[in-house]
Amino acid sequence: MNGLEMAEDILRRAVSDLNTQLKEKDQVKYCDELQLMGTGCSIDSMDRVVLIEFIETELEDIMGKEIVLMDDECFKNNDETNPLNSIGKLKIYIADMLGG
């Protein structure tokens, strides 16, 4: 599995895990356009934390070191370059961390 496939797998599992904790009406559909921050955000702040914690734990297991995706910088940088703006951007960011 290459980095992009691994990233997609992690993100799909993270969204699935989040959905198990949400009421059916609040569940989100996995897609690259799923907004995680900013205008049109599909999830609330607590759900974002749950999602990111799942992803960080998965990455830490794979990479063998602590990974922090959500820090103060991600909230200051809410423009189009922020990898936490959408699942698609986050997938590319994680794939780059995993080596492509």
Side-chain angles (χ1 to χ4, degrees), residues 3-88:
L4 192 59
E5 292 168 334
M6 289 173 64
E8 173 116 13
D9 179 61
I10 291 168
L11 292 172
R12 282 189 182 279
R13 287 187 290 118
V15 169
S16 178
D17 180 72
L18 174 64
N19 281 334
T20 65
Q21 301 175 45
L22 298 174
K23 295 178 183 174
E24 188 173 341
K25 69 177 183 68
D26 296 327
Q27 292 181 357
V28 293
K29 181 180 177 190
Y30 178 89
C31 66
D32 284 350
E33 295 77 25
L34 179 64
Q35 294 293 305
L36 302 177
M37 294 182 69
T39 306
C41 183
S42 304
I43 59 176
D44 68 27
S45 59
M46 288 305 295
D47 295 338
R48 182 172 36 269
V49 169
V50 169
L51 187 73
I52 297 300
E53 283 181 348
F54 182 97
I55 295 165
E56 287 174 343
T57 300
E58 290 293 309
L59 289 171
E60 288 170 8
D61 289 347
I62 291 168
M63 300 178 79
K65 62 181 180 179
E66 182 178 9
I67 303 294
V68 178
L69 296 174
M70 192 164 32
D71 58 13
D72 291 339
E73 283 302 310
C74 79
F75 293 106
K76 292 177 189 173
N77 178 19
N78 202 20
D79 65 12
E80 289 299 312
T81 64
N82 187 333
L84 294 178
N85 278 342
S86 70
I87 285 288

